[in-house]
Amino acid sequence: MLVTVLRTELKRSAAPWAGALLLTSALAFLYAADASWWRGTTAWTAQWTPLALWTRSLLYYLWPLAVGAGALQGLRDHRSKMTELLATTPRPAWHRAATQAGTAAATLATGFTLLVLVGGAQVLAHAGYAHLGWLPVTLVAVLALAAGAVLGMGIARTLPSPLTPPALTITALAFTTLIHMSLGRARTISPDGFDIDRPNRLSLFSPGVYDVRSAFVTLSTTVSLGQTLWFLGLAATGFALLTATTGRARLLAPAPVLAGAALAVLVLPTDPDRMYVVDRAAARPVCDGPVCVTRTHEDRLAGLAGPGKEALSLLRTALGEKAPDAVRENTTFLPHGSTPRRRQDTVLVDFDDAALAGGGNLTRALVGKGLVPGCTPVGWQGIGEEDIARTVAVAWVLGTLDPAAGPEARTAWQDLTARPRAQQLARVDAMRTAAHTCRGEPFDVLKGGPR
């Protein structure tokens, strides 16, 4: 009987079209642009956690679409002028409401699930690390879409006007956009004068997510729990409005969403470091001697181990006891605009770094990272003359200058190699200190300038 009722409801409603629109628009958005969701280790088809976060980020516009589709569905009885007739039937109002709301929620959830399956099939084809840590992020997204649809239906049933669906869609879009662009962000100034951009607790009330900058960074458990309470409250309020037949019932309908918001505030973290966290299982090191990568990128260890060991040997020969003794994948997650944190005893590897992902001489690139790792703030483009300093320093270790080096690098290298060995080593040590502490300009120090 239930299957028959649902089949009839699907034929009578626009819910299947809403689910199809959600799926096709999301795929069109992803495939139409060569944007960051296609690049590097955080591509939406590269690993399971980026897949969950990138598809979740689409809710900035998919969630308003779900609210508008629900509102359109909620006007069906009003458009058919059957409200009074249906009110006289002995069937409880919540029976019909549950059928309508369940159908709309199920079709939207199916559309989003198919979107995840499209990406998941590609992840499954080449990702070596399989886990279920990404699943709560996706399940909350499904709940958010269902809650948005039910809320839209309930408001449209309460305010039965042709203007209600577009008005709700615009309002929901303004909500998600404002939270993403300004209201959900806390901005401060770093000691170096750069803008540091971090999410605040208000951002967690949005169905979307903040940023996808690491393959092993995900939403914390407390965030998923708090968001679940919030969206359950929205869904309950929408259903209460959908079944309300008296003025008193409509006045009491907002109680669930208020309770959900209150519980969410108690659960959701206020510290940004507890909102987006490193998945410890995904970041667990897998090593070949002194060269280690994360479990997420275990398949890259074979290609990194040889060049990594060679780079460490070259640095040891050139620098002596001050040389780094390990190569590690960088698992530190810093806010946008933060100055990187470096250690001189370790060469930190980021597989999204252009120098390592460009297909060039990997050993040379690792030697350069061990000498001048870079102080560019997170999320910013390269600044200063770090690349020139790195080119000269690598040439000093390897004994040959890159033929593509510019005139500044060639002049500095000739000046450096013309000096006594002890003086060369002193300048390189001073340059490394400046490069790792992010105090001073490494190229100026290498030339014998301010330290």
Side-chain angles (χ1 to χ4, degrees), residues 51-134:
L51 166 67
L53 291 174
W54 277 121
T55 51
R56 176 78 178 268
S57 70
L58 297 180
L59 265 63
Y60 285 120
Y61 81 91
L62 292 180
W63 192 73
L65 179 65
V67 173
L72 190 64
Q73 179 73 4
L75 290 179
R76 186 181 67 183
D77 293 346
H78 178 74
R79 290 195 307 268
S80 302
K81 300 181 180 180
M82 297 175 56
T83 306
E84 294 183 1
L85 176 62
L86 293 172
T88 62
T89 61
R91 186 183 181 188
W94 69 269
H95 280 193
R96 296 190 64 257
T99 302
Q100 293 181 9
T103 302
T107 53
L108 290 171
T110 300
F112 188 80
T113 301
L114 290 175
L115 170 67
V116 174
L117 290 177
V118 170
Q122 299 176 71
V123 173
L124 193 62
H126 59 263
Y129 177 54
H131 63 104
L132 296 178
W134 60 276

Side-chain angles (χ1 to χ4, degrees), residues 171-214:
T171 302
L173 182 61
F175 170 74
T176 57
T177 302
L178 286 174
I179 285 185
H180 178 64
M181 294 180 62
S182 58
L183 297 179
R185 295 174 181 259
R187 290 183 171 88
T188 57
I189 303 298
S190 71
D192 300 321
F194 296 104
D195 290 335
I196 297 180
D197 188 0
R198 311 191 79 179
N200 59 29
R201 185 159 55 178
L202 183 60
S203 69
L204 302 178
F205 284 87
S206 171
V209 294
Y210 188 65
D211 278 323
V212 184
R213 294 206 312 268
S214 175

Side-chain angles (χ1 to χ4, degrees), residues 204-229:
L204 302 178
F205 284 87
S206 171
V209 294
Y210 188 65
D211 278 323
V212 184
R213 294 206 312 268
S214 175
F216 33 79
V217 170
T218 186
L219 290 171
S220 67
T221 302
T222 54
V223 169
S224 295
L225 176 59
Q227 291 179 334
T228 298
L229 295 172

